[in-house]
Amino acid sequence: MSKEHWYDIIKSPAITEKATLVSESNTVVFNVAKSATKPDIKKAVEGLFGVKVKAVNTLVRKGKQRRFKGQLARLSDVKKAYVTLEEGQRLDVTTGL
C-alpha cells in the first residue's frame, strides 16, 4: 500500500475526553474512513507511525439530528478506531503527521 492510501484510511486523531482517558492504557483513537477494515487500519497505523499494533476495535457513531438556522439537519455518521499498541510502544498524535 502507498502512503497516500494510508492517509485515505486514517482521517484524523480523535481528541476527546474519552480518548485522553484510554490513552493511559496505551490506546489511541482515530477517525477513519467508513469503508476501512480492521486489517487496513492496522497496516496504515503501523506504516505511518512505525509502531506495532496489538488490536483494533471499531465503532460507527450514528449521526444526530440538529437544527441549523431553523432547519432540521442530520450530521454524518462517523467511524472510529480504537488502536491498542504493543507494550513499550508510544504514539503522540498531537505532534502531527
Side-chain angles (χ1 to χ4, degrees):
M1 260 193 253
S2 66
K3 197 167 187 177
E4 291 81 19
H5 183 66
W6 291 335
Y7 283 114
D8 291 337
I9 292 172
I10 297 178
K11 293 183 178 179
S12 65
I15 309 296
T16 61
E17 289 182 40
K18 187 173 181 179
T20 305
L21 289 174
V22 298
S23 68
E24 295 172 1
S25 62
N26 215 17
T27 302
V28 185
V29 183
F30 293 103
N31 293 326
V32 296
K34 288 183 193 175
S35 60
T37 62
K38 290 181 181 183
D40 291 341
I41 295 167
K42 181 177 179 178
K43 287 179 189 174
V45 171
E46 288 177 345
L48 286 174
F49 299 105
V51 295
K52 293 290 181 185
V53 175
K54 183 177 183 180
V56 176
N57 295 321
T58 60
L59 65 92
V60 177
R61 189 198 63 169
K62 299 297 180 186
K64 302 176 182 179
Q65 288 230 335
R66 297 285 187 223
R67 288 199 177 271
F68 183 71
K69 294 186 178 180
Q71 299 293 321
L72 275 178
R74 182 165 179 82
L75 299 179
S76 300
D77 296 345
V78 177
K79 186 170 187 175
K80 291 185 179 185
Y82 285 78
V83 178
T84 305
L85 303 176
E86 293 283 348
E87 281 299 318
Q89 299 288 316
R90 300 287 305 151
L91 178 59
D92 186 17
V93 295
T94 58
T95 59
L97 300 175

